[in-house]
Amino acid sequence: MTLPDWQGNRPGVYDGLPEEAYHGNKEAISSSLLRWEGTPAHLEWKLSHPEPEESIELFIGTCVHSSVLEGRFPCALVRRPPDVDLRTKEGKAWVASQGDKRILKPEEFDAIMGCTLELCEHPFVTRNVRPARKEVSLLAQRDGYMAKCRIDIVPPGVTWLADIKTTREGEASPEGFQRTMSQRNYHAQARWYLDLWNELHPDDQRNDFVFIVVEKSPPYAVGIYRVSQEALEAGRRFNDERLATLLRCRETGVWPGYSEDPVTVELPKWRNG
């Protein structure tokens, strides 16, 4: 499949699709769209008021993904020396001398490099990621809507797909990632990716999903986690409920907030008595 096919909303499997082209398709529904925070009203506001630029947290994650999966960074990077004060004349001159390079604080630059090195040297990554297809984009036509996803890692000869996550200190531990997966509904992302892959690959069905998680602070610890079948089933229910809500909002033009009528509010249990 080619870029013009993608731009024409032709369902299929796309290898090598540029990331900006993937995100440029605003019609197709993605897992991240379904995992909105708050109410449909919050989602509608976010869609109509996009962030002017990605946060530094997202940028670090993007750089780690690009370096591990593509062997390159999305742009030239430079580590700001700790003794350079950007408010001074000398500091401003140093900035001007860097041209188009993205200037990063030392801890930001170190996070990108540390995560990249730890992932590339991890035995699971070495065995499974290097021979895999990477950043595979999928587009499917469903009843009344288009669905898309972009899978980080599709290894050959296995029954699982995988995704890389960068996270904060302690969140790559089993307990930490369990909390993060629940809070950010990563289990629903895993189910969405598996369903789309299996829909487009009847002869290569995948039943499991693996998250490769790395912390953005030293020692850049790595955790490898397979999502349980129970969590995947909960992810399917989450996706079904959110999808029904989103399609209803799109059809009616009504994006509700918290409530239309009075709701009884109780004190928290710890205040009772």
PDB file of all heavy atoms in Angstrom, residues 58-94:
ATOM      1  N   LEU A  58       6.144  13.913  25.469  1.00  0.00           N
ATOM      2  CA  LEU A  58       5.819  13.225  24.220  1.00  0.00           C
ATOM      3  C   LEU A  58       7.000  13.233  23.261  1.00  0.00           C
ATOM      4  O   LEU A  58       7.250  12.259  22.549  1.00  0.00           O
ATOM      5  CB  LEU A  58       4.602  13.867  23.570  1.00  0.00           C
ATOM      6  CG  LEU A  58       3.246  13.603  24.227  1.00  0.00           C
ATOM      7  CD1 LEU A  58       2.150  14.388  23.508  1.00  0.00           C
ATOM      8  CD2 LEU A  58       2.919  12.109  24.219  1.00  0.00           C
ATOM      9  N   PHE A  59       7.741  14.345  23.235  1.00  0.00           N
ATOM     10  CA  PHE A  59       8.891  14.429  22.339  1.00  0.00           C
ATOM     11  C   PHE A  59       9.951  13.406  22.720  1.00  0.00           C
ATOM     12  O   PHE A  59      10.545  12.763  21.838  1.00  0.00           O
ATOM     13  CB  PHE A  59       9.483  15.839  22.372  1.00  0.00           C
ATOM     14  CG  PHE A  59      10.665  16.009  21.460  1.00  0.00           C
ATOM     15  CD1 PHE A  59      10.487  16.098  20.087  1.00  0.00           C
ATOM     16  CD2 PHE A  59      11.947  16.068  21.979  1.00  0.00           C
ATOM     17  CE1 PHE A  59      11.584  16.243  19.237  1.00  0.00           C
ATOM     18  CE2 PHE A  59      13.045  16.211  21.143  1.00  0.00           C
ATOM     19  CZ  PHE A  59      12.865  16.293  19.771  1.00  0.00           C
ATOM     20  N   ILE A  60      10.196  13.233  24.013  1.00  0.00           N
ATOM     21  CA  ILE A  60      11.165  12.228  24.444  1.00  0.00           C
ATOM     22  C   ILE A  60      10.719  10.843  23.991  1.00  0.00           C
ATOM     23  O   ILE A  60      11.509  10.045  23.462  1.00  0.00           O
ATOM     24  CB  ILE A  60      11.348  12.272  25.972  1.00  0.00           C
ATOM     25  CG1 ILE A  60      12.076  13.547  26.384  1.00  0.00           C
ATOM     26  CG2 ILE A  60      12.105  11.040  26.476  1.00  0.00           C
ATOM     27  CD1 ILE A  60      12.157  13.780  27.881  1.00  0.00           C
ATOM     28  N   GLY A  61       9.436  10.546  24.167  1.00  0.00           N
ATOM     29  CA  GLY A  61       8.920   9.255  23.724  1.00  0.00           C
ATOM     30  C   GLY A  61       9.057   9.063  22.226  1.00  0.00           C
ATOM     31  O   GLY A  61       9.423   7.980  21.758  1.00  0.00           O
ATOM     32  N   THR A  62       8.780  10.112  21.458  1.00  0.00           N
ATOM     33  CA  THR A  62       8.914  10.049  20.002  1.00  0.00           C
ATOM     34  C   THR A  62      10.358   9.768  19.600  1.00  0.00           C
ATOM     35  O   THR A  62      10.623   8.950  18.703  1.00  0.00           O
ATOM     36  CB  THR A  62       8.446  11.368  19.365  1.00  0.00           C
ATOM     37  OG1 THR A  62       7.059  11.556  19.642  1.00  0.00           O
ATOM     38  CG2 THR A  62       8.668  11.360  17.861  1.00  0.00           C
ATOM     39  N   CYS A  63      11.297  10.441  20.266  1.00  0.00           N
ATOM     40  CA  CYS A  63      12.716  10.232  19.949  1.00  0.00           C
ATOM     41  C   CYS A  63      13.159   8.809  20.268  1.00  0.00           C
ATOM     42  O   CYS A  63      13.899   8.190  19.485  1.00  0.00           O
ATOM     43  CB  CYS A  63      13.572  11.227  20.727  1.00  0.00           C
ATOM     44  SG  CYS A  63      13.474  12.916  20.124  1.00  0.00           S
ATOM     45  N   VAL A  64      12.717   8.276  21.393  1.00  0.00           N
ATOM     46  CA  VAL A  64      13.096   6.909  21.761  1.00  0.00           C
ATOM     47  C   VAL A  64      12.519   5.915  20.753  1.00  0.00           C
ATOM     48  O   VAL A  64      13.203   4.992  20.295  1.00  0.00           O
ATOM     49  CB  VAL A  64      12.628   6.582  23.186  1.00  0.00           C
ATOM     50  CG1 VAL A  64      12.856   5.108  23.510  1.00  0.00           C
ATOM     51  CG2 VAL A  64      13.360   7.455  24.201  1.00  0.00           C
ATOM     52  N   HIS A  65      11.247   6.109  20.383  1.00  0.00           N
ATOM     53  CA  HIS A  65      10.634   5.239  19.376  1.00  0.00           C
ATOM     54  C   HIS A  65      11.430   5.283  18.068  1.00  0.00           C
ATOM     55  O   HIS A  65      11.760   4.244  17.492  1.00  0.00           O
ATOM     56  CB  HIS A  65       9.191   5.672  19.100  1.00  0.00           C
ATOM     57  CG  HIS A  65       8.192   5.107  20.045  1.00  0.00           C
ATOM     58  ND1 HIS A  65       8.064   5.557  21.338  1.00  0.00           N
ATOM     59  CD2 HIS A  65       7.270   4.114  19.901  1.00  0.00           C
ATOM     60  CE1 HIS A  65       7.108   4.879  21.942  1.00  0.00           C
ATOM     61  NE2 HIS A  65       6.608   3.995  21.098  1.00  0.00           N
ATOM     62  N   SER A  66      11.731   6.488  17.598  1.00  0.00           N
ATOM     63  CA  SER A  66      12.424   6.625  16.322  1.00  0.00           C
ATOM     64  C   SER A  66      13.814   6.002  16.364  1.00  0.00           C
ATOM     65  O   SER A  66      14.236   5.323  15.415  1.00  0.00           O
ATOM     66  CB  SER A  66      12.537   8.104  15.937  1.00  0.00           C
ATOM     67  OG  SER A  66      11.270   8.672  15.719  1.00  0.00           O
ATOM     68  N   SER A  67      14.521   6.221  17.448  1.00  0.00           N
ATOM     69  CA  SER A  67      15.888   5.719  17.520  1.00  0.00           C
ATOM     70  C   SER A  67      15.930   4.196  17.616  1.00  0.00           C
ATOM     71  O   SER A  67      16.774   3.543  16.995  1.00  0.00           O
ATOM     72  CB  SER A  67      16.626   6.348  18.709  1.00  0.00           C
ATOM     73  OG  SER A  67      15.963   6.061  19.927  1.00  0.00           O
ATOM     74  N   VAL A  68      15.006   3.614  18.379  1.00  0.00           N
ATOM     75  CA  VAL A  68      15.000   2.157  18.548  1.00  0.00           C
ATOM     76  C   VAL A  68      14.418   1.455  17.327  1.00  0.00           C
ATOM     77  O   VAL A  68      14.944   0.441  16.855  1.00  0.00           O
ATOM     78  CB  VAL A  68      14.209   1.765  19.813  1.00  0.00           C
ATOM     79  CG1 VAL A  68      14.056   0.246  19.915  1.00  0.00           C
ATOM     80  CG2 VAL A  68      14.899   2.312  21.058  1.00  0.00           C
ATOM     81  N   LEU A  69      13.332   1.999  16.777  1.00  0.00           N
ATOM     82  CA  LEU A  69      12.632   1.314  15.693  1.00  0.00           C
ATOM     83  C   LEU A  69      13.169   1.674  14.315  1.00  0.00           C
ATOM     84  O   LEU A  69      13.123   0.851  13.392  1.00  0.00           O
ATOM     85  CB  LEU A  69      11.138   1.638  15.763  1.00  0.00           C
ATOM     86  CG  LEU A  69      10.428   1.227  17.059  1.00  0.00           C
ATOM     87  CD1 LEU A  69       8.969   1.661  17.025  1.00  0.00           C
ATOM     88  CD2 LEU A  69      10.529  -0.271  17.291  1.00  0.00           C
ATOM     89  N   GLU A  70      13.677   2.903  14.150  1.00  0.00           N
ATOM     90  CA  GLU A  70      14.120   3.352  12.830  1.00  0.00           C
ATOM     91  C   GLU A  70      15.623   3.606  12.762  1.00  0.00           C
ATOM     92  O   GLU A  70      16.165   3.814  11.675  1.00  0.00           O
ATOM     93  CB  GLU A  70      13.386   4.629  12.437  1.00  0.00           C
ATOM     94  CG  GLU A  70      11.873   4.500  12.413  1.00  0.00           C
ATOM     95  CD  GLU A  70      11.180   5.826  12.123  1.00  0.00           C
ATOM     96  OE1 GLU A  70      11.850   6.738  11.592  1.00  0.00           O
ATOM     97  OE2 GLU A  70       9.996   5.949  12.433  1.00  0.00           O
ATOM     98  N   GLY A  71      16.284   3.625  13.917  1.00  0.00           N
ATOM     99  CA  GLY A  71      17.718   3.888  13.922  1.00  0.00           C
ATOM    100  C   GLY A  71      18.082   5.328  13.674  1.00  0.00           C
ATOM    101  O   GLY A  71      19.195   5.641  13.243  1.00  0.00           O
ATOM    102  N   ARG A  72      17.150   6.246  13.939  1.00  0.00           N
ATOM    103  CA  ARG A  72      17.418   7.670  13.737  1.00  0.00           C
ATOM    104  C   ARG A  72      16.536   8.487  14.663  1.00  0.00           C
ATOM    105  O   ARG A  72      15.557   7.985  15.204  1.00  0.00           O
ATOM    106  CB  ARG A  72      17.128   8.068  12.287  1.00  0.00           C
ATOM    107  CG  ARG A  72      15.668   7.905  11.896  1.00  0.00           C
ATOM    108  CD  ARG A  72      15.388   8.381  10.487  1.00  0.00           C
ATOM    109  NE  ARG A  72      13.970   8.266  10.146  1.00  0.00           N
ATOM    110  CZ  ARG A  72      13.042   9.152  10.473  1.00  0.00           C
ATOM    111  NH1 ARG A  72      13.380  10.229  11.170  1.00  0.00           N
ATOM    112  NH2 ARG A  72      11.777   8.980  10.142  1.00  0.00           N
ATOM    113  N   PHE A  73      16.882   9.755  14.831  1.00  0.00           N
ATOM    114  CA  PHE A  73      16.050  10.670  15.585  1.00  0.00           C
ATOM    115  C   PHE A  73      15.178  11.476  14.625  1.00  0.00           C
ATOM    116  O   PHE A  73      15.544  11.645  13.452  1.00  0.00           O
ATOM    117  CB  PHE A  73      16.910  11.621  16.426  1.00  0.00           C
ATOM    118  CG  PHE A  73      17.666  10.938  17.525  1.00  0.00           C
ATOM    119  CD1 PHE A  73      19.046  10.991  17.581  1.00  0.00           C
ATOM    120  CD2 PHE A  73      16.989  10.226  18.504  1.00  0.00           C
ATOM    121  CE1 PHE A  73      19.743  10.358  18.597  1.00  0.00           C
ATOM    122  CE2 PHE A  73      17.677   9.583  19.519  1.00  0.00           C
ATOM    123  CZ  PHE A  73      19.053   9.640  19.565  1.00  0.00           C
ATOM    124  N   PRO A  74      14.032  11.988  15.091  1.00  0.00           N
ATOM    125  CA  PRO A  74      13.166  12.753  14.187  1.00  0.00           C
ATOM    126  C   PRO A  74      13.758  14.077  13.749  1.00  0.00           C
ATOM    127  O   PRO A  74      13.318  14.669  12.768  1.00  0.00           O
ATOM    128  CB  PRO A  74      11.893  12.966  15.018  1.00  0.00           C
ATOM    129  CG  PRO A  74      12.335  12.851  16.439  1.00  0.00           C
ATOM    130  CD  PRO A  74      13.444  11.830  16.422  1.00  0.00           C
ATOM    131  N   CYS A  75      14.778  14.541  14.482  1.00  0.00           N
ATOM    132  CA  CYS A  75      15.470  15.770  14.104  1.00  0.00           C
ATOM    133  C   CYS A  75      16.832  15.765  14.791  1.00  0.00           C
ATOM    134  O   CYS A  75      17.106  14.910  15.637  1.00  0.00           O
ATOM    135  CB  CYS A  75      14.664  17.011  14.509  1.00  0.00           C
ATOM    136  SG  CYS A  75      14.417  17.165  16.296  1.00  0.00           S
ATOM    137  N   ALA A  76      17.698  16.701  14.407  1.00  0.00           N
ATOM    138  CA  ALA A  76      19.004  16.806  15.048  1.00  0.00           C
ATOM    139  C   ALA A  76      18.836  17.316  16.473  1.00  0.00           C
ATOM    140  O   ALA A  76      18.075  18.255  16.723  1.00  0.00           O
ATOM    141  CB  ALA A  76      19.908  17.734  14.243  1.00  0.00           C
ATOM    142  N   LEU A  77      19.554  16.690  17.399  1.00  0.00           N
ATOM    143  CA  LEU A  77      19.455  17.042  18.809  1.00  0.00           C
ATOM    144  C   LEU A  77      20.795  17.555  19.315  1.00  0.00           C
ATOM    145  O   LEU A  77      21.854  17.151  18.832  1.00  0.00           O
ATOM    146  CB  LEU A  77      19.049  15.817  19.642  1.00  0.00           C
ATOM    147  CG  LEU A  77      17.815  15.033  19.200  1.00  0.00           C
ATOM    148  CD1 LEU A  77      17.629  13.811  20.100  1.00  0.00           C
ATOM    149  CD2 LEU A  77      16.583  15.916  19.234  1.00  0.00           C
ATOM    150  N   VAL A  78      20.724  18.421  20.308  1.00  0.00           N
ATOM    151  CA  VAL A  78      21.946  18.887  20.952  1.00  0.00           C
ATOM    152  C   VAL A  78      21.680  19.040  22.444  1.00  0.00           C
ATOM    153  O   VAL A  78      20.601  19.487  22.854  1.00  0.00           O
ATOM    154  CB  VAL A  78      22.454  20.210  20.342  1.00  0.00           C
ATOM    155  CG1 VAL A  78      21.440  21.336  20.541  1.00  0.00           C
ATOM    156  CG2 VAL A  78      23.807  20.592  20.936  1.00  0.00           C
ATOM    157  N   ARG A  79      22.645  18.645  23.238  1.00  0.00           N
ATOM    158  CA  ARG A  79      22.550  18.732  24.701  1.00  0.00           C
ATOM    159  C   ARG A  79      23.085  20.079  25.151  1.00  0.00           C
ATOM    160  O   ARG A  79      24.243  20.411  24.886  1.00  0.00           O
ATOM    161  CB  ARG A  79      23.351  17.596  25.337  1.00  0.00           C
ATOM    162  CG  ARG A  79      23.230  17.486  26.847  1.00  0.00           C
ATOM    163  CD  ARG A  79      24.091  16.308  27.304  1.00  0.00           C
ATOM    164  NE  ARG A  79      23.863  15.921  28.672  1.00  0.00           N
ATOM    165  CZ  ARG A  79      24.505  16.413  29.727  1.00  0.00           C
ATOM    166  NH1 ARG A  79      25.436  17.363  29.550  1.00  0.00           N
ATOM    167  NH2 ARG A  79      24.241  15.982  30.947  1.00  0.00           N
ATOM    168  N   ARG A  80      22.252  20.849  25.817  1.00  0.00           N
ATOM    169  CA  ARG A  80      22.693  22.165  26.295  1.00  0.00           C
ATOM    170  C   ARG A  80      23.698  21.978  27.417  1.00  0.00           C
ATOM    171  O   ARG A  80      23.413  21.307  28.411  1.00  0.00           O
ATOM    172  CB  ARG A  80      21.500  22.968  26.818  1.00  0.00           C
ATOM    173  CG  ARG A  80      21.862  24.393  27.179  1.00  0.00           C
ATOM    174  CD  ARG A  80      20.750  25.017  27.965  1.00  0.00           C
ATOM    175  NE  ARG A  80      20.395  24.161  29.089  1.00  0.00           N
ATOM    176  CZ  ARG A  80      19.873  24.612  30.257  1.00  0.00           C
ATOM    177  NH1 ARG A  80      19.644  25.863  30.435  1.00  0.00           N
ATOM    178  NH2 ARG A  80      19.577  23.780  31.211  1.00  0.00           N
ATOM    179  N   PRO A  81      24.882  22.546  27.306  1.00  0.00           N
ATOM    180  CA  PRO A  81      25.860  22.450  28.392  1.00  0.00           C
ATOM    181  C   PRO A  81      25.298  23.039  29.680  1.00  0.00           C
ATOM    182  O   PRO A  81      24.628  24.079  29.656  1.00  0.00           O
ATOM    183  CB  PRO A  81      27.053  23.263  27.877  1.00  0.00           C
ATOM    184  CG  PRO A  81      26.896  23.271  26.385  1.00  0.00           C
ATOM    185  CD  PRO A  81      25.414  23.277  26.148  1.00  0.00           C
ATOM    186  N   PRO A  82      25.557  22.406  30.825  1.00  0.00           N
ATOM    187  CA  PRO A  82      24.981  22.893  32.087  1.00  0.00           C
ATOM    188  C   PRO A  82      25.392  24.320  32.433  1.00  0.00           C
ATOM    189  O   PRO A  82      24.662  25.025  33.131  1.00  0.00           O
ATOM    190  CB  PRO A  82      25.526  21.898  33.121  1.00  0.00           C
ATOM    191  CG  PRO A  82      25.868  20.674  32.338  1.00  0.00           C
ATOM    192  CD  PRO A  82      26.307  21.161  30.992  1.00  0.00           C
ATOM    193  N   ASP A  83      26.565  24.754  31.946  1.00  0.00           N
ATOM    194  CA  ASP A  83      27.049  26.093  32.316  1.00  0.00           C
ATOM    195  C   ASP A  83      26.598  27.175  31.343  1.00  0.00           C
ATOM    196  O   ASP A  83      26.999  28.338  31.470  1.00  0.00           O
ATOM    197  CB  ASP A  83      28.575  26.086  32.413  1.00  0.00           C
ATOM    198  CG  ASP A  83      29.241  25.666  31.108  1.00  0.00           C
ATOM    199  OD1 ASP A  83      28.534  25.137  30.219  1.00  0.00           O
ATOM    200  OD2 ASP A  83      30.463  25.857  30.982  1.00  0.00           O
ATOM    201  N   VAL A  84      25.754  26.832  30.368  1.00  0.00           N
ATOM    202  CA  VAL A  84      25.276  27.829  29.410  1.00  0.00           C
ATOM    203  C   VAL A  84      23.962  28.417  29.911  1.00  0.00           C
ATOM    204  O   VAL A  84      22.977  27.695  30.114  1.00  0.00           O
ATOM    205  CB  VAL A  84      25.080  27.211  28.004  1.00  0.00           C
ATOM    206  CG1 VAL A  84      24.363  28.195  27.086  1.00  0.00           C
ATOM    207  CG2 VAL A  84      26.430  26.825  27.414  1.00  0.00           C
ATOM    208  N   ASP A  85      23.947  29.720  30.117  1.00  0.00           N
ATOM    209  CA  ASP A  85      22.747  30.430  30.550  1.00  0.00           C
ATOM    210  C   ASP A  85      22.115  31.073  29.319  1.00  0.00           C
ATOM    211  O   ASP A  85      22.680  32.012  28.732  1.00  0.00           O
ATOM    212  CB  ASP A  85      23.120  31.501  31.586  1.00  0.00           C
ATOM    213  CG  ASP A  85      21.885  32.173  32.192  1.00  0.00           C
ATOM    214  OD1 ASP A  85      20.790  32.063  31.599  1.00  0.00           O
ATOM    215  OD2 ASP A  85      22.016  32.819  33.245  1.00  0.00           O
ATOM    216  N   LEU A  86      20.953  30.577  28.916  1.00  0.00           N
ATOM    217  CA  LEU A  86      20.334  31.043  27.686  1.00  0.00           C
ATOM    218  C   LEU A  86      19.839  32.485  27.778  1.00  0.00           C
ATOM    219  O   LEU A  86      19.479  33.079  26.755  1.00  0.00           O
ATOM    220  CB  LEU A  86      19.171  30.120  27.313  1.00  0.00           C
ATOM    221  CG  LEU A  86      19.517  28.644  27.126  1.00  0.00           C
ATOM    222  CD1 LEU A  86      18.300  27.875  26.633  1.00  0.00           C
ATOM    223  CD2 LEU A  86      20.689  28.465  26.163  1.00  0.00           C
ATOM    224  N   ARG A  87      19.843  33.060  28.973  1.00  0.00           N
ATOM    225  CA  ARG A  87      19.398  34.445  29.134  1.00  0.00           C
ATOM    226  C   ARG A  87      20.499  35.449  28.837  1.00  0.00           C
ATOM    227  O   ARG A  87      20.234  36.629  28.620  1.00  0.00           O
ATOM    228  CB  ARG A  87      18.881  34.659  30.551  1.00  0.00           C
ATOM    229  CG  ARG A  87      17.672  33.807  30.915  1.00  0.00           C
ATOM    230  CD  ARG A  87      17.395  33.861  32.400  1.00  0.00           C
ATOM    231  NE  ARG A  87      18.511  33.300  33.172  1.00  0.00           N
ATOM    232  CZ  ARG A  87      18.551  33.233  34.503  1.00  0.00           C
ATOM    233  NH1 ARG A  87      17.529  33.714  35.208  1.00  0.00           N
ATOM    234  NH2 ARG A  87      19.584  32.705  35.116  1.00  0.00           N
ATOM    235  N   THR A  88      21.739  34.976  28.814  1.00  0.00           N
ATOM    236  CA  THR A  88      22.872  35.884  28.613  1.00  0.00           C
ATOM    237  C   THR A  88      23.174  36.063  27.125  1.00  0.00           C
ATOM    238  O   THR A  88      22.685  35.315  26.270  1.00  0.00           O
ATOM    239  CB  THR A  88      24.129  35.324  29.308  1.00  0.00           C
ATOM    240  OG1 THR A  88      24.506  34.092  28.661  1.00  0.00           O
ATOM    241  CG2 THR A  88      23.855  35.051  30.782  1.00  0.00           C
ATOM    242  N   LYS A  89      23.993  37.053  26.842  1.00  0.00           N
ATOM    243  CA  LYS A  89      24.408  37.304  25.463  1.00  0.00           C
ATOM    244  C   LYS A  89      25.154  36.103  24.905  1.00  0.00           C
ATOM    245  O   LYS A  89      24.941  35.692  23.749  1.00  0.00           O
ATOM    246  CB  LYS A  89      25.294  38.548  25.416  1.00  0.00           C
ATOM    247  CG  LYS A  89      25.795  38.902  24.024  1.00  0.00           C
ATOM    248  CD  LYS A  89      26.658  40.157  24.067  1.00  0.00           C
ATOM    249  CE  LYS A  89      27.185  40.501  22.669  1.00  0.00           C
ATOM    250  NZ  LYS A  89      28.035  41.725  22.704  1.00  0.00           N
ATOM    251  N   GLU A  90      26.026  35.529  25.725  1.00  0.00           N
ATOM    252  CA  GLU A  90      26.792  34.367  25.284  1.00  0.00           C
ATOM    253  C   GLU A  90      25.870  33.162  25.041  1.00  0.00           C
ATOM    254  O   GLU A  90      26.058  32.408  24.084  1.00  0.00           O
ATOM    255  CB  GLU A  90      27.847  33.998  26.326  1.00  0.00           C
ATOM    256  CG  GLU A  90      28.968  35.013  26.473  1.00  0.00           C
ATOM    257  CD  GLU A  90      28.524  36.235  27.278  1.00  0.00           C
ATOM    258  OE1 GLU A  90      27.418  36.197  27.889  1.00  0.00           O
ATOM    259  OE2 GLU A  90      29.264  37.244  27.283  1.00  0.00           O
ATOM    260  N   GLY A  91      24.873  33.014  25.930  1.00  0.00           N
ATOM    261  CA  GLY A  91      23.941  31.906  25.774  1.00  0.00           C
ATOM    262  C   GLY A  91      23.116  32.024  24.509  1.00  0.00           C
ATOM    263  O   GLY A  91      22.878  31.046  23.796  1.00  0.00           O
ATOM    264  N   LYS A  92      22.668  33.235  24.213  1.00  0.00           N
ATOM    265  CA  LYS A  92      21.884  33.459  22.997  1.00  0.00           C
ATOM    266  C   LYS A  92      22.732  33.231  21.753  1.00  0.00           C
ATOM    267  O   LYS A  92      22.237  32.728  20.730  1.00  0.00           O
ATOM    268  CB  LYS A  92      21.304  34.868  23.006  1.00  0.00           C
ATOM    269  CG  LYS A  92      20.255  35.082  24.093  1.00  0.00           C
ATOM    270  CD  LYS A  92      19.769  36.516  24.147  1.00  0.00           C
ATOM    271  CE  LYS A  92      18.750  36.706  25.267  1.00  0.00           C
ATOM    272  NZ  LYS A  92      18.290  38.111  25.386  1.00  0.00           N
ATOM    273  N   ALA A  93      24.007  33.587  21.837  1.00  0.00           N
ATOM    274  CA  ALA A  93      24.905  33.339  20.709  1.00  0.00           C
ATOM    275  C   ALA A  93      25.095  31.836  20.506  1.00  0.00           C
ATOM    276  O   ALA A  93      25.158  31.354  19.369  1.00  0.00           O
ATOM    277  CB  ALA A  93      26.249  34.025  20.949  1.00  0.00           C
ATOM    278  N   TRP A  94      25.183  31.094  21.616  1.00  0.00           N
ATOM    279  CA  TRP A  94      25.331  29.634  21.497  1.00  0.00           C
ATOM    280  C   TRP A  94      24.094  29.035  20.852  1.00  0.00           C
ATOM    281  O   TRP A  94      24.199  28.156  19.981  1.00  0.00           O
ATOM    282  CB  TRP A  94      25.553  29.025  22.890  1.00  0.00           C
ATOM    283  CG  TRP A  94      25.685  27.534  22.840  1.00  0.00           C
ATOM    284  CD1 TRP A  94      26.825  26.819  22.565  1.00  0.00           C
ATOM    285  CD2 TRP A  94      24.652  26.581  23.047  1.00  0.00           C
ATOM    286  NE1 TRP A  94      26.553  25.478  22.587  1.00  0.00           N
ATOM    287  CE2 TRP A  94      25.226  25.296  22.883  1.00  0.00           C
ATOM    288  CE3 TRP A  94      23.302  26.675  23.361  1.00  0.00           C
ATOM    289  CZ2 TRP A  94      24.492  24.120  23.019  1.00  0.00           C
ATOM    290  CZ3 TRP A  94      22.559  25.517  23.495  1.00  0.00           C
ATOM    291  CH2 TRP A  94      23.150  24.251  23.328  1.00  0.00           C
TER     292      TRP A  94
END
